[in-house]
Amino acid sequence: EAAAEEEERLQRAEAEERRREAEMEERRRRAEEEAKQRREAEEEDRRREAEEAERRKKAEEEERRRQAEEAEKERKAAEEERRRKAEEEERKRQVEEEERRRKAEEEERQREAEEQERRRKAEEEERRREAEEQERRRKAEEEERRRKAEEEERRRKAEEEERLRKAEEERRRKAEEEERRQAEERRKAEEARRKAIEEARKKAEEEEARRVAEEEARRREAERLAQQAAE
């Protein structure tokens, strides 16, 4: 029986040892698995960061390329605009030059025609001169009358504006005085109202104090009478 018990004890000890070893093995396996997962996660993080950095780099390169293309387009557009303006300016200059030449020729022809016309009109001008001189004198006299009338009208308007300005200033002055008077009346009314409120408060306090004193006197009288009755 002792040998059987010893055998059973040994078997239990071996089973316990195997269980501990299995647990240790399981813990080791789990630790290795967790370490592997951590390594794989870190590797994945590094890979994603590298891919993200590559994407950012490509995006930046694409943006620089796009900006360079845009700048080139703008440069070409500006160059084209300068060329177009230069051509337009040249066409405009040629048109103006042609127009000046045409006008010069036209002016020359006109000058000759005018010279002939002046010679023809010289005699007629002499005849009209006296009539025009009389007309100028008439218009000058009429202009002088108009000028004096306008000057009188301006003077009248200036006097009217001055009168209106003074009237407006007087109105504003009276309005300001009225406003000050009303403000003073409001201030006095407010002061009177505050004084009335303060007077009413004082009277109420005095009345309350008198009432309290009377009640106290009645209470003391009642106590005295009660004490006498008790005695």
Side-chain angles (χ1 to χ4, degrees), residues 159-172:
E159 292 176 353
E160 180 67 15
E161 288 175 358
E162 179 66 14
R163 185 185 64 79
L164 292 175
R165 185 186 64 79
K166 289 181 178 180
E168 178 64 17
E169 289 181 354
E170 182 65 15
R171 185 191 64 77
R172 284 199 299 269

Side-chain angles (χ1 to χ4, degrees), residues 13-152:
E14 290 175 357
E16 180 65 20
E17 182 66 20
R18 286 193 298 272
R19 187 184 61 77
R20 286 197 298 272
E21 289 178 355
E23 289 178 353
M24 290 177 64
E25 181 64 20
E26 179 66 17
R27 285 196 293 273
R28 184 187 62 75
R29 186 187 63 77
R30 288 181 181 176
E32 290 177 353
E33 183 67 22
E34 290 175 356
K36 179 181 178 182
Q37 291 177 356
R38 284 196 299 274
R39 286 195 301 274
E40 290 176 350
E42 290 172 356
E43 184 66 22
E44 180 65 19
D45 289 342
R46 287 193 294 274
R47 184 184 64 78
R48 283 197 299 270
E49 289 176 357
E51 290 177 353
E52 181 64 23
E54 183 65 20
R55 283 194 296 272
R56 286 196 301 270
K57 179 181 177 183
K58 287 181 179 180
E60 290 172 356
E61 290 177 353
E62 179 65 20
E63 179 64 16
R64 286 194 294 273
R65 184 190 63 77
R66 188 189 64 76
Q67 291 180 358
E69 290 178 353
E70 185 68 22
E72 181 64 15
K73 288 178 183 178
E74 291 177 356
R75 185 189 67 76
K76 288 181 179 179
E79 183 67 23
E80 179 64 19
E81 180 66 13
R82 286 193 294 273
R83 184 188 62 76
R84 186 189 64 77
K85 287 183 178 179
E87 292 176 353
E88 182 68 21
E89 187 65 24
E90 179 62 18
R91 286 194 296 272
K92 182 179 178 181
R93 186 189 64 77
Q94 291 177 1
V95 169
E96 290 176 351
E97 182 67 22
E98 179 64 21
E99 181 67 14
R100 283 194 294 272
R101 185 187 62 77
R102 187 189 63 77
K103 285 183 178 180
E105 293 175 354
E106 180 67 23
E107 287 174 358
E108 180 63 18
R109 289 192 297 272
Q110 184 177 356
R111 185 186 63 78
E112 292 176 357
E114 288 175 352
E115 182 63 25
Q116 292 177 1
E117 184 66 15
R118 280 195 296 273
R119 287 194 299 271
R120 184 187 66 80
K121 289 182 177 179
E123 296 176 359
E124 184 180 351
E125 183 66 23
E126 182 62 23
R127 290 191 297 271
R128 285 204 305 264
R129 186 182 61 77
E130 293 182 0
E132 289 177 352
E133 182 65 24
Q134 292 178 356
E135 181 66 14
R136 282 196 294 274
R137 285 196 297 272
R138 185 188 65 78
K139 287 182 178 180
E141 292 173 356
E142 183 178 347
E143 179 65 19
E144 181 64 17
R145 288 193 296 272
R146 184 188 61 78
R147 186 188 64 78
K148 288 182 179 180
E150 289 177 352
E151 182 67 24
E152 180 63 21

Side-chain angles (χ1 to χ4, degrees), residues 199-209:
E199 185 67 22
R201 186 185 62 78
K202 288 181 179 179
K203 287 183 179 180
E205 289 177 353
E206 291 175 358
E207 181 64 22
E208 180 65 16

